[in-house]
Every structure is written in C-alpha cells, then in structure tokens.
Amino acid sequence: MELSILIVVLPLFLFLVLGLLGGKMKPSVAGIIGTAGMAICAAVAYYVAYQYFFVLGKVGGAWTQLMPFNFEWLKFTECLHIDLGVLLDPISVMMLVVITTVSLMVHLYSIGYMHGEKGYQRYFAFLSLFSFSMLGLVVATNIFQMYIFWELVGSSSYLLIGFYYTKPSAVAASKKAFIVTRFADLGFLIGILILSYYTKTFDFGLLTADHAGLVVNSMAGQSFLGLSVATWAMAGIFMGGAGKSAMFPLHIWLPDAMEGPTPVSALIHAATMVVAGVYLVARLFTVYYFAAPDVLDLIAFIGAFTAIFAAVIAITQTDIKRVLAFSTISQIAYMMCALGVSGYGGEEGLGYMASMFHLFTHAFFKALLFLGAGSVIHAVHSNEMNKMGALHKYMPATNWTFLIACLAIAGIPPFSGFYSKDEILAATFENGTLVGQTVFWTLWIVAGLTAFYMFRLYFKIFWNGERTYDDHHKPHESPWKMALPLCILAVFSLVTGFIPFSEHVANDNIPFHTHINSHVALMSIGVALVGIMVAIVFYFKESRTPSQIAKSMGGVYTAVCKKFYMDELWHWVARTVIFNYISEPVKWFDRHIIDHTMDGLAWLTQKASHAIRGLQSGQVQFYAWFFLFGTLLITVLVLFL
C-alpha cells in the first residue's frame, strides 16, 4: 500500500517537468509524457484498490482505515498539529480510481483535441497540477491538509478555465470561478477554525471516531445566536462544499467555466472540482449526523432546489456545453440530497452509499458526454446545437457512445445511471420524514426533466431532420486518440452499475446488502421514458412546435433562458451592495484612518527628531553639562527618596 504515495507525487513531478522543461520539448513529446505518467498513476490506483478491497482493507467484517504514509508538518500544541499523509478507506480508494481513470481518458483525448493549439505543453502541465491537487485532496488525513489541496484545486481550475488567456470571455470566466469559490472557501476556513478550536484536532480519524463523540462532547452546550457552535462550524464547512459543487446560489461560476477547453470541462465536471464538495460532506458525514443533524436537512433542501432549478434551465439552453454544465449541477445536487437524507449504518445509511455510488457512475458517463460534445465541436466548429443535426451519418462512433451516456444519465436500465439514481430515489422515498418525501418528489420530477433535456440535446445534434454541410467543412469522425476514450468510457457507463457498491462503501464501514425497490424503480423508469418520448416528439424531426411553445410562454421562457437572471442579480449585489456598502467604507477607513494614522506617526516622529536633534550636537561642553546635571539629579533622588 506504500505505492499509494506514487499516485499523488507523480502528477506533481509531471507538472514540474512539463512546466519547466515543456517549452524545450516537441508538443507531441509533452503530451506523451503527461499521458504516460497518468497511465502509471491509474495502474497503481487500480492495484491499490485491488489490494484494499480484496486483500488488506477488511478487518473483522468491516472496512478499516489504512495510513501508509503520514508525517507531522506544523505543530501548534501537543494535540493540534497539521500532518501530511495518505489515508486509504473505501471512499478515498474509490476516488483514486475515478480521478485517475477519467484523467487518463482526458489526457489521451487531449492529444488529439488540442493538437496544434498554442500552449500545448502548458496545457498538459496544468492538467497534471489539477490531477495532483484533487488526488491530494481525497487522500488527506486531516481537514487542514484537505483545505490546502482544496485551494490548489481552485488555483488549477483558474489556470485551465483561463487557458485561452487572449480570449476575454475565458479570462472573465476564470476570474469568476476563482472569486466565487474563494468567497465560499472563507466559510470553509471559518468552519475549520471553529471546529479545531473546540476539538483541538484536525485529524479525520479523531473527528469521526466513536460516532463523532469528540465533536459532540467538546461543543456540548456551546451556542451562538440561537444555534449550536457545531451547527455553525459544519454549516461553514458545507458553504465551502457548496461553492466547489456549484450549489444554489453559488452555482453561477460553473456554466461560464465552459470557456476552457472541452477536455478540461470533462475533468472538472466528472472527477475533480465539482465532486469535491460532495466528497467533503461524505468525509465528515459522521460529524454532520451526530453533531449537526440540522445542517443535513439544510443540505437536503438546498440540493433538492438546486436539482430542479438547474434542470429547468438546462431545457432552454442551446449551447451544448452549457446544457451539460447545468446537468452537472443537477446531478451533483442529487448526491447532496442523498447525503442530506441518509441515516447511519446498514440500510439506514442507504443515502450515503447511494451518493457515493452516483458520484462513481456519474464520473464516467458525464466525462463521456463532455468528450462526446468535444468531438462534435471539433467536427462542426460550433457549440450551438441549432447549427447541428443529422450527425449520426458522419460520426457513428460518437453517436453511439453519446447515446449510451444519455441513456445512463436518464436512468434507463441496464445502464449504470439507473442503479445509482434508483438508490438515491429509494433512500429519499424510504426516509419517511417530511424532508425525505419533499426531496423524493422533487428528484422524481427532475429525473423526467433530465431524460427530456438530454434527449433534446441528443436528437438536435445527431438527428433532427436533414442537414447539408459545406464540402470544405463536412463533419467527420474524430481520430482514434479521441474515439478510444469515448469507447472506454462507454463500457464503464454500461458495466459500473452492476458493482455491489453497498458491500464496499458504507458510512459505518460495515458492508450491507441492498435490493432494488421495484415501486421506486418503476416510477423512475416511467418518468424517464415520458421525458424521452416528449423529446422524440419535439426534436427527433424538424418541428416548429418547440419554438411556438417558447413564444406562448413569453416572459417565463425568457427568464428561464436567462437563468432566472441570477448573473444579473449577483452583478447587482456586487456593484450596489458589496462595492457601495462594504468596499467603499473599507476604502474610506483605509485612506482616512489607516493612512492618516501612519502619516501622523511619521509627522510626529519627524517633529520629535527635529526637537531633540540638539542632543547630538557634538559639543563636548554640552555633553559635560548634561552629565553633571544627571549626576546631581541621581544624587538628590538617592538622598531624599
């Protein structure tokens, strides 16, 4: 298991090599080095997963935590210190497989997709940095190590989203993603500080041990503004997760992040940045459940609202990457909902397992969707689906693999998305509380909307009547370097649903058995089929019906198309509230109080220096007079006092 450190260190080494020496290499060599290095990481990750799940990981019928590498980095007290190391347990090992697999597919795909691009070597260096950051995050042994890599993930995404730095929209998108997630990360940092202040530790093992007894006991009876300190701490930590995972209202950065190269979008949406928030809540789930259960209800409600909010917007988008972006927001919200309604242990913990299961399956079919979209964009030279159609005749491999991904995300059996999404719906349905029932019906509606907008996307790209393309720019199938990752990910989208996930992942680390809830399964399949049938009627062939319906809805359709004006609202908040009522007072305080105080100290020092400069006149008589006066003064003080 000591080899697991190689999975983290090798991408960092690749980043340094490609970043420092990439300019002296041929572009093709940089791509081969980056891809070969990630292939080694993936191979080691699969070996570690095999060793953990089939050889070393289970002790006494329960999965255990292994720490093959750990050292003390910064020490504050005997108890409070920051370590750097590798923690292996079911969810971290699962994430190692997901990240390295998707990253390898993105690297291989990028060799063909980014061919001829300026900054080719720089691109692969940034990919390696992104992979290193996320891998370091998931194997963190303590919450502060996670925070360090959390910020590295944000920096890496900034570099990749803004890769086309001569393009103003890409620069604006990278800054938007960075600023919004930094704002959320302030809550994360405050939550960490509150938690560590009371518990005197950052260590995940201590925080989650004995049903989070350390957190419960150390924060018992402590409150602020009517809420327990534990609630404030865990809500702050969730704020960081909500920012990274683009939960409402911090979702506004994700659609704009599509300005980066399409393979980057696949990596961000499938295996790295947006799943970090879900992973954070899962890692600290024991603390949430036993110390701050009210925050779990908040997570469930925010997730449910975000899921339906993003799904409704996706219906109206015409940029194929933005449709997939809002789809990601909706699917990540599914995972948050499952964590929010989960109990603890056995079948009670079905929601936790379902969330991790959906994270696992979603990574493969969402990466497939983005890479398929990249293949289409590469052929058509446009993101607008209105400029596409009938591409099934020109791009058969992309057509079939994209269809598999659409069926998976729509939740049609036997594709992987059906099994993981069904477990989430079953967890919410069986929750029994008002929260669970509200979330269930919301997610059930979202399942139908998901099937509709995904097949709207599919039909408008690959079917939707006849299209004539310019002979000089006639679409063609992508080269094998791009087609091979599509085929591999399609296989994963087909088979990963058959993994008995509950036997490997549980919030109490004790395996349990699950079964398909036939009632919930029939409901989810039924609503998905309805969504697909509506999409067939509207979009399989050229039809004026969708545009007529859009016109009849008037301002409602416009509001949805404009994403409910959330960007405009945030812009108003930033300009009117933050700039005028926060930034301006701070600026005034800085200029009039801080600057004038410093200027006053300088003026006072100058005046005092001018007044006493005579003390250093250089006249011996003056020094003798002061010596005599001082001697007499000391004599008087000694005699009389």
Side-chain angles (χ1 to χ4, degrees):
M1 302 301 280
E2 287 78 6
L3 284 175
S4 57
I5 189 62
L6 184 64
I7 304 172
V8 180
V9 173
L10 185 55
L12 176 61
F13 175 75
L14 292 171
F15 165 67
L16 295 175
V17 170
L18 295 175
L20 297 175
L21 304 177
K24 300 178 181 179
M25 303 176 185
K26 291 182 178 180
S28 57
V29 174
I32 291 171
I33 290 175
T35 306
M38 190 49 59
I40 294 172
C41 289
V44 175
Y46 277 84
Y47 174 75
V48 168
Y50 171 78
Q51 288 291 316
Y52 183 85
F53 286 117
F54 297 101
V55 181
L56 301 172
K58 190 178 288 188
V59 176
W63 300 108
T64 187
Q65 290 185 343
L66 302 177
M67 202 176 295
F69 177 80
N70 193 54
F71 74 94
E72 188 179 275
W73 180 45
L74 292 175
K75 185 174 182 179
F76 303 108
T77 67
E78 287 299 322
C79 299
L80 192 62
H81 48 83
I82 300 175
D83 297 347
L84 294 178
V86 174
L87 174 65
L88 299 178
D89 67 352
I91 60 172
S92 64
V93 173
M94 177 268 291
M95 287 299 295
L96 289 178
V97 171
V98 168
I99 295 167
T100 55
T101 302
V102 174
S103 184
L104 175 60
M105 296 298 103
V106 168
H107 275 74
L108 180 59
Y109 183 92
S110 296
I111 293 176
Y113 187 87
M114 299 297 289
H115 179 71
E117 288 278 5
K118 183 180 179 181
Y120 188 86
Q121 300 95 321
R122 173 169 55 91
Y123 170 82
F124 277 93
F126 290 166
L127 278 187
S128 298
L129 178 63
F130 205 175
S131 300
F132 161 71
S133 304
M134 191 65 193
L135 289 166
L137 186 153
V138 300
V139 299
T141 60
N142 60 85
I143 195 169
F144 217 97
Q145 180 187 342
M146 177 181 276
Y147 182 76
I148 293 169
F149 283 96
W150 188 275
E151 296 306 318
L152 273 175
V153 167
S155 301
S156 305
S157 66
Y158 171 79
L159 294 172
L160 284 168
I161 294 169
F163 176 76
Y164 298 120
Y165 59 87
T166 57
K167 187 179 176 184
S169 58
V171 174
S174 63
K175 290 192 293 184
K176 187 176 183 179
F178 190 80
I179 292 169
V180 172
T181 52
R182 292 296 74 67
F183 175 75
D185 291 349
L186 175 62
F188 186 14
L189 179 59
I190 292 172
I192 291 174
L193 295 176
I194 295 173
L195 188 65
S196 62
Y197 175 80
Y198 284 97
T199 61
K200 303 296 186 292
T201 185
F202 297 120
D203 187 76
F204 284 133
L206 294 175
L207 290 173
T208 59
D210 299 323
H211 305 325
L214 175 63
V215 180
V216 174
N217 294 333
S218 61
M219 295 187 171
Q222 305 291 333
S223 63
F224 177 70
L225 296 179
L227 296 175
S228 69
V229 171
T231 297
W232 283 110
M234 301 315 294
I237 290 172
F238 170 66
M239 181 178 172
K244 275 287 191 289
S245 290
M247 294 293 99
F248 181 89
L250 300 172
H251 66 284
I252 55 171
W253 67 269
L254 191 58
D256 289 13
M258 300 303 96
E259 294 293 338
T262 302
V264 170
S265 302
L267 194 58
I268 290 175
H269 288 247
T272 53
M273 190 166 176
V274 295
V275 300
V278 178
Y279 183 82
L280 171 64
V281 176
R283 171 58 72 197
L284 291 171
F285 179 80
T286 307
V287 180
Y288 277 103
Y289 185 77
F290 288 102
D294 44 349
V295 181
L296 284 181
D297 291 340
L298 175 67
I299 292 172
F301 280 122
I302 289 177
F305 180 81
T306 304
I308 196 165
F309 177 83
V312 169
I313 294 175
I315 293 172
T316 64
Q317 301 300 298
T318 58
D319 183 314
I320 61 176
K321 289 175 68 176
R322 288 183 182 269
V323 173
L324 296 178
F326 282 103
S327 167
T328 299
I329 295 173
S330 186
Q331 294 301 304
I332 296 296
Y334 252 88
M335 303 171 202
M336 287 292 192
C337 287
L339 290 170
V341 302
S342 180
Y344 189 80
E347 293 190 5
E348 291 293 320
L350 179 62
Y352 177 93
M353 184 280 297
S355 177
M356 296 296 97
F357 193 13
H358 199 53
L359 188 157
F360 183 76
T361 60
H362 173 266
F364 301 115
F365 58 71
K366 183 51 62 70
L368 176 55
L369 285 168
F370 269 106
L371 297 185
S375 185
V376 170
I377 294 168
H378 187 264
V380 181
H381 306 290
S382 175
N383 289 22
E384 289 294 321
M385 65 174 73
N386 294 328
K387 297 181 180 180
M388 303 171 189
L391 288 178
H392 70 282
K393 297 184 296 184
Y394 305 97
M395 308 177 71
T398 304
N399 170 41
W400 283 107
T401 54
F402 202 90
L403 176 60
I404 289 171
C406 287
L407 290 168
I409 196 172
I412 303 299
F415 300 94
S416 60
F418 162 74
Y419 296 97
S420 56
K421 186 180 289 187
D422 182 73
E423 296 289 13
I424 291 178
L425 290 172
T428 57
F429 182 79
E430 295 172 5
N431 180 267
T433 65
L434 178 61
V435 174
Q437 293 305 302
T438 303
V439 172
F440 169 76
W441 289 109
T442 304
L443 296 187
W444 180 75
I445 295 170
V446 172
L449 295 176
T450 302
F452 171 71
Y453 68 68
M454 287 309 305
F455 276 86
R456 168 182 176 262
L457 177 66
Y458 171 72
F459 290 133
K460 285 183 74 67
I461 294 174
F462 294 101
W463 299 89
N464 199 240
E466 294 294 327
R467 289 287 188 279
T468 55
Y469 294 95
D470 187 348
D471 289 337
H472 296 290
H473 300 92
K474 185 169 289 188
H476 55 83
E477 188 57 85
S478 299
W480 72 268
K481 294 172 186 176
M482 295 169 64
L484 180 60
L486 298 181
C487 296
I488 294 173
L489 289 170
V491 172
F492 275 98
S493 299
L494 276 168
V495 304
T496 50
F498 297 107
I499 297 174
F501 215 75
S502 62
E503 297 180 12
H504 298 88
V505 174
N507 52 27
D508 62 351
N509 288 327
I510 299 176
F512 66 99
H513 297 284
T514 60
H515 61 278
I516 293 178
N517 186 317
S518 57
H519 179 66
V520 172
L522 289 174
M523 290 180 66
S524 66
I525 295 171
V527 76
L529 291 176
V530 169
I532 294 173
M533 292 302 299
V534 174
I536 290 174
V537 171
F538 284 175
Y539 299 107
F540 185 75
K541 294 182 179 180
E542 194 77 47
S543 172
R544 298 179 60 187
T545 304
S547 60
Q548 290 172 348
I549 293 175
K551 287 182 180 179
S552 68
M553 296 180 69
V556 174
Y557 178 83
T558 304
V560 176
C561 194
K562 292 289 186 179
K563 298 167 284 188
F564 293 102
Y565 300 101
M566 285 301 300
D567 286 308
E568 289 78 3
L569 176 61
W570 271 108
H571 189 267
W572 178 84
V573 168
R575 290 279 182 181
T576 305
V577 179
I578 297 178
F579 288 2
N580 290 340
Y581 297 103
I582 298 177
S583 299
E584 284 295 332
V586 169
K587 183 178 73 173
W588 183 91
F589 183 82
D590 180 64
R591 290 184 177 179
H592 293 82
I593 305 300
I594 302 297
D595 286 358
H596 286 181
T597 300
M598 295 299 104
D599 292 343
L601 289 174
W603 177 85
L604 183 62
T605 303
Q606 186 181 32
K607 288 296 183 181
S609 300
H610 189 273
I612 65 173
R613 63 182 179 175
L615 295 176
Q616 296 292 332
S617 64
Q619 296 178 358
V620 177
Q621 299 92 326
F622 184 76
Y623 295 159
W625 185 87
F626 259 94
F627 175 75
L628 179 60
F629 176 79
T631 303
L632 291 174
L633 179 63
I634 293 172
T635 302
V636 171
L637 291 174
V638 170
L639 291 175
F640 292 98
L641 299 179

